[in-house]
Amino acid sequence: MSHQESYLHQIINIFLDIIKFCNMAQQHPAFNITNLSRPIIPIVQNYPLLPLRYLSNPRNVLPPGGESSDLRCECINKKDDLIKSAESSERWYKTVNFLVFLLQGGNNAGHTVVVDGKEYDFHLFPSGIINPKAISFIGNGVVIHLPGLFEEAEKNEKKGLKDWEKRLIISDRAHIVFDFHQAVDGLQEVQRQAQEGKNIGTTKKGIGPTYSSKAARTGLRICDLLSDFDEFSSRFKNLAQQYKSMFPTLEIDIEGQLKKLKGYAEKIRPMVRDGVYFMYEALHGSPKKILVEGANAALLDIDFGTYPFVTSSNCTVGGVCTGLGVPPQHVGDVYGVVKAYTTRVGIGAFPTEQINEIGELLQSRGHEWGVTTGRKRRCGWLDLVILKYAHMINGFTALALTKLDILDVLDEIKIGVAYKLGGKRIPYFPANQEILQKVEVEYETMPGWKTDTTGARKWEDLPPKAQNYIRCVENHVGVPVKWVGVGKSRESMIQLF
C-alpha cells in the first residue's frame, strides 16, 4: 500500500469513528446538546477520552463566605476542576454544588461555605463534605496535619456537619505535616525577618517545610503511618533530628507525638485508599459528577506565582494531574473564578492595590479577612493583566465574575488593562518582584452604576453600566463570563449561558 493510500485509509477510519461516536452519543440518555457549555463535546458513558472540566480562579476569588450553588456543570465521567486564578484563597464554591476532590496545599488556606444559612469553615476538608450524597477525596498532592483535620471536623460538627468520616477518602500517598514542621515554619519566618528585614508572610501551618521534606525524600506519607509503625517511628525520629540540628532551639516531644500519631492512624485507617486506583475508578467507572478544588490561587503557584511570595505547590491546572493522578486528556473545560476587584493576603507586589479609602471600602464591604489567619486582605482595582496571565497558564473556557455587588456604591470604577515599564507597554507579566514593583498600571475608567445589584437574578436585571463593566472584562481577556455573583446566597449567582 502506498503512503497516499495508507493516509487515505486512516482518514476514512477516523470519519467512521466520528460517525460511530455521534450515534452512540445521540442514543445515550445523558446526551442533551442544550446542557453543554460547548455543544461540540458530547457526553457519553465510559468513553475513554472524555475531557474533564476545570474551574480555575485567577488573582481575585469569590466572595469570602461563598457557598455551594444550584448551578451545575453537567458532566458525566468528566472532571470539573475549580482553580483559583490569582492570589487570594476565599470562596468560589457557589458555582457548583458537588466539590469533592482536593488536589494540593494543606490547612494553610481557608474557605467559608454557606449552606442553608449556616457558615462552615474548611481548610483541609474538600467543600463537598457538606453534601451527604457526595464523596470527598483528599489527594496525594495535599499535605495533611492530622490534628488539624480532626479539629476542623469537631468545629464543623458543632455547626451541623454529620457523618463526614463516612464520606471522606484520603490518598495513601499524601504527605503528613508534623507539629515540628509548623514550629520550623515559624522559626524560618523569624530568620527571614532577622536576615533580610522581611518575611514571606506564611500562615505558619508547616506547609512549606513539609513540601521541603517531600522534595528532599525524607518526608513521611499516610501509607507509611499505616504500615510498619516501628519503621515509621524510626524515620520520624531521623527527620525530627535533622530539623533539631538545623534549629538548635527547636523542641520536639518525639515520644509524645508518636503516641498521638499512632492514635490518629487508627482513626483514619478506614478512610484511606490507594489514591491512584480510586481516581481511575472514578473516571472510568459508572457515570459520576466530579469536581476538583485547589487550595490556593494561580498567582500563589510555586512556579507561576509572584515568587517568592507564593505557596509551596502547583495550584494551576497542571496540579490536577500531579496532585490526583489524573491523565491530562481528562481536563477539558477550565472555568476561571475572579472577583470584580483584586485582593491579596500577605506580602508581595500588588500593582493595582489601593492604599486609600477605595481599598478600605472594598475591604469593608467585601468582608476581606482571611479565614485561616484572620488577616485583612489587601484590596485594589481589578487587574486584567493578572487575569490574562492566569488565562495563559490555565486556558480558561469561561469566567465566573463574583462580588460585583461590592462595587455598587462607587461613582467610578477603574480597571487595570496594561502594565508599562519606562513608559512603554509590556505584553507579559513580569517574573521578577523588583520589576513588578516598578510597573505603572494603565487604567480604563468606567462610570459606576450606583444601584443595588443584590436582587439581580438574570442578565437583564443588571444595570447597563454593570453590564458594560462585565463586557469590558470579556473583551480584554478574550474569555466569556458565564456566571456573575451579586451576593452570598446560592440564589445570588446569575448564569449567562
Side-chain angles (χ1 to χ4, degrees):
M1 183 182 293
S2 68
H3 288 300
Q4 290 86 349
E5 290 173 326
S6 175
Y7 184 62
L8 181 61
H9 183 69
Q10 290 179 40
I11 292 176
I12 291 171
N13 283 336
I14 289 171
F15 274 111
L16 290 174
D17 285 343
I18 290 172
I19 292 169
K20 180 181 178 182
F21 178 82
C22 291
N23 287 335
M24 288 169 59
Q26 289 172 344
Q27 293 168 11
H28 194 276
F31 181 80
N32 183 346
I33 207 75
T34 61
N35 287 342
L36 304 177
S37 59
R38 292 195 298 179
I40 60 167
I41 303 179
I43 297 175
V44 182
Q45 182 176 356
N46 293 331
Y47 190 75
L49 295 180
L50 273 179
L52 306 153
R53 288 191 185 153
Y54 192 75
L55 277 78
S56 166
N57 202 315
R59 175 176 194 147
N60 322 325
V61 218
L62 287 178
E67 32 209 290
S68 305
S69 164
D70 290 326
L71 299 179
R72 291 173 171 79
C73 301
E74 296 297 333
C75 300
I76 302 222
N77 281 350
K78 295 176 108 178
K79 177 163 126 204
D80 292 12
D81 291 331
L82 275 146
I83 270 194
K84 298 191 171 176
S85 340
E87 295 176 350
S88 308
S89 50
E90 311 90 87
R91 22 167 211 122
W92 29 276
Y93 309 109
K94 291 186 305 193
T95 50
V96 291
N97 66 352
F98 44 88
L99 313 171
V100 286
F101 288 2
L102 190 64
L103 66 100
Q104 48 75 224
N107 61 338
N108 55 326
H111 311 283
T112 302
V113 181
V114 181
V115 178
D116 297 330
K118 293 181 181 179
E119 290 194 4
Y120 299 87
D121 293 331
F122 295 128
H123 303 272
L124 275 167
F125 277 0
S127 302
I129 199 71
I130 57 178
N131 186 341
K133 297 181 180 179
I135 297 296
S136 292
F137 177 62
I138 297 177
N140 60 275
V142 180
V143 291
I144 304 173
H145 183 243
L146 292 171
L149 180 73
F150 286 96
E151 286 171 15
E152 184 176 332
E154 185 179 350
K155 288 179 181 177
N156 285 292
E157 280 175 340
K158 292 177 181 177
K159 298 177 181 180
L161 181 65
K162 296 178 181 178
D163 299 325
W164 61 269
E165 65 277 6
K166 297 177 182 177
R167 303 191 301 275
L168 181 66
I169 293 175
I170 300 172
S171 171
D172 58 347
R173 289 173 172 82
H175 277 250
I176 303 171
V177 180
F178 299 116
D179 289 347
F180 60 73
H181 281 131
Q182 297 190 338
V184 166
D185 204 353
L187 291 171
Q188 287 178 331
E189 284 285 79
V190 171
Q191 274 188 353
R192 294 183 191 105
Q193 189 65 46
Q195 295 170 2
E196 305 170 28
K198 60 183 178 181
N199 55 39
I200 290 177
T202 76
T203 59
K204 300 183 180 65
K205 295 294 184 180
I207 308 305
T210 305
Y211 278 115
S212 294
S213 296
K214 178 179 180 177
R217 283 94 72 195
T218 56
L220 287 158
R221 300 180 294 174
I222 295 293
C223 59
D224 303 317
L225 176 62
L226 300 188
S227 185
D228 185 336
F229 194 75
D230 289 337
E231 174 65 20
F232 175 86
S233 299
S234 175
R235 291 175 59 189
F236 177 88
K237 291 174 183 178
N238 289 338
L239 181 59
Q241 207 55 50
Q242 288 176 22
Y243 277 114
K244 288 189 74 171
S245 65
M246 289 187 284
F247 300 93
T249 61
L250 180 64
E251 296 182 2
I252 304 175
D253 179 6
I254 291 178
E255 295 304 324
Q257 287 196 33
L258 282 171
K259 183 178 179 180
K260 290 180 181 178
L261 286 164
K262 193 169 187 177
Y264 286 128
E266 297 314 307
K267 282 187 174 184
I268 66 168
R269 191 179 295 276
M271 309 175 206
V272 177
R273 292 272 303 274
D274 183 294
V276 174
Y277 185 66
F278 173 78
M279 194 72 240
Y280 182 85
E281 280 189 315
L283 292 172
H284 295 85
S286 59
K288 291 179 178 66
K289 296 177 181 178
I290 303 172
L291 181 135
V292 175
E293 67 176 287
N296 307 97
L299 259 71
L300 293 180
D301 187 277
I302 185 68
D303 288 302
F304 300 110
T306 50
Y307 192 89
F309 306 108
V310 293
T311 192
S312 307
S313 55
N314 289 111
C315 35
T316 44
V317 68
V320 177
C321 301
T322 56
L324 291 170
V326 173
Q329 69 263 33
H330 285 284
V331 180
D333 291 333
V334 182
Y335 298 138
V337 187
V338 56
K339 287 181 188 169
Y341 54 95
T342 300
T343 62
R344 174 166 194 152
V345 176
I347 305 168
F350 187 169
T352 64
E353 182 175 14
Q354 297 298 298
I355 309 175
N356 52 30
E357 66 279 2
I358 294 294
E360 291 173 3
L361 181 144
L362 295 173
Q363 196 277 329
S364 175
R365 280 181 57 81
H367 302 286
E368 299 293 353
W369 288 274
V371 175
T372 300
T373 62
R375 291 180 294 181
K376 282 187 176 182
R377 297 188 181 110
R378 299 155 62 192
C379 299
W381 298 119
L382 179 58
D383 189 332
L384 295 185
V385 178
I386 286 173
L387 185 53
K388 285 188 281 188
Y389 174 65
H391 175 44
M392 291 178 192
I393 299 164
N394 293 296
F396 300 140
T397 304
L399 300 174
L401 185 69
T402 70
K403 302 191 83 168
L404 185 75
D405 55 300
I406 305 304
L407 307 181
D408 286 351
V409 299
L410 295 172
D411 293 316
E412 65 176 26
I413 302 166
K414 293 184 178 181
I415 301 179
V417 297
Y419 289 169
K420 290 182 178 180
L421 271 176
K424 295 182 179 179
R425 272 194 179 200
I426 56 173
Y428 55 88
F429 182 78
N432 180 271
Q433 281 289 292
E434 285 69 33
I435 293 176
L436 191 56
Q437 295 279 12
K438 296 176 183 177
V439 299
E440 174 190 352
V441 181
E442 182 180 317
Y443 289 102
E444 277 190 21
T445 301
M446 305 186 70
W449 41 92
K450 302 288 287 183
T451 303
D452 183 1
T453 61
T454 57
R457 294 296 177 265
K458 55 184 183 295
W459 174 255
E460 294 75 18
D461 295 339
L462 293 172
K465 290 177 181 177
Q467 295 178 1
N468 291 341
Y469 184 82
I470 296 165
R471 294 309 184 206
C472 180
V473 173
E474 290 180 322
N475 292 336
H476 278 284
V477 182
V479 179
V481 171
K482 184 169 185 174
W483 296 281
V484 178
V486 291
K488 283 187 175 184
S489 72
R490 60 173 64 193
E491 295 82 14
S492 299
M493 186 67 72
I494 302 168
Q495 186 166 3
L496 306 187
F497 61 92

